[in-house]
Amino acid sequence: VGFVDPGTGRATSLELGEEVANGFAAGQDGSVYLVSVEALYRLGADRAGRPEVRWRTEYDRGTRQKDGQASRGSGTTPTLLPDGLVAIADNAEPRMNVQFYDTAEGALVCQRAVFEDGESATETALVAVGGGGVVVENNAGYTGPRRTVLGRTTPGGLARVDVADGTCDVAWTSEVAAPSAGPRVSLETGLVYTYAKRRSL
């Protein structure tokens, strides 16, 4: 990871020693959050303008790279939420968890398993849906466009997970199969938009 001083253009970098296969999120305080295949990080810059690790928290990266993922570990970019929370999905077996962490210290606040045993993986960012909730999409089984031809589709599913008072709850689930599309949420209408692929066999 690197930091460029906007005044001087001087660039410095820090080697984490771990694969990073997803994007990062920037907080209003200047902190940057990223998830490697092994841990969730909060990063910042020290007084000399060099990047530094503020905290590192390992998560359950599972035992393998699941079909539907580009790497072993979390397939999500961190999603920042109000009240000092950051959310990711892990890669646990038999079901992945949507997890909420405290941004101050990196402590796990709560987690909730989603989708079916042996059929849960995601390679898209969690979508914030207001105060303390996220929508997660199930990409399990998607290995490329050929996986959805001839009437086939993936196990699929969407779920909303909310956090309140340190407790996670699944607010709703849907069986809609969206093999590789990142969902979007309209806060004005309360609707979730995604590309779906129905089974026709």
Side-chain angles (χ1 to χ4, degrees), residues 6-53:
T8 65
R10 176 174 171 264
T12 54
S13 63
L14 173 68
E15 175 61 57
L16 298 178
E18 298 169 11
E19 178 186 356
V20 178
N22 300 287
F24 61 87
Q28 292 182 336
D29 64 351
S31 295
V32 171
Y33 300 83
L34 66 81
V35 61
S36 74
V37 297
E38 297 181 15
L40 174 64
Y41 284 84
R42 178 181 174 183
L43 304 162
D46 64 18
R47 293 185 178 182
R50 297 180 299 248
E52 65 177 2
V53 176

Side-chain angles (χ1 to χ4, degrees), residues 35-107:
V35 61
S36 74
V37 297
E38 297 181 15
L40 174 64
Y41 284 84
R42 178 181 174 183
L43 304 162
D46 64 18
R47 293 185 178 182
R50 297 180 299 248
E52 65 177 2
V53 176
R54 299 281 169 82
W55 52 252
R56 176 185 182 273
T57 303
E58 294 185 3
Y59 62 88
D60 188 344
R61 62 192 296 251
T63 58
R64 62 188 174 90
Q65 178 179 330
K66 299 175 185 176
D67 287 344
Q69 292 186 301
S71 62
R72 178 181 166 188
S74 175
T76 59
T77 295
T79 298
L80 289 168
L81 299 167
D83 300 325
L85 296 174
V86 58
I88 65 168
D90 65 11
N91 192 41
E93 294 282 11
R95 296 191 292 162
M96 70 176 177
N97 298 289
V98 172
Q99 301 181 313
F100 297 87
Y101 292 86
D102 172 17
T103 57
E105 303 293 336

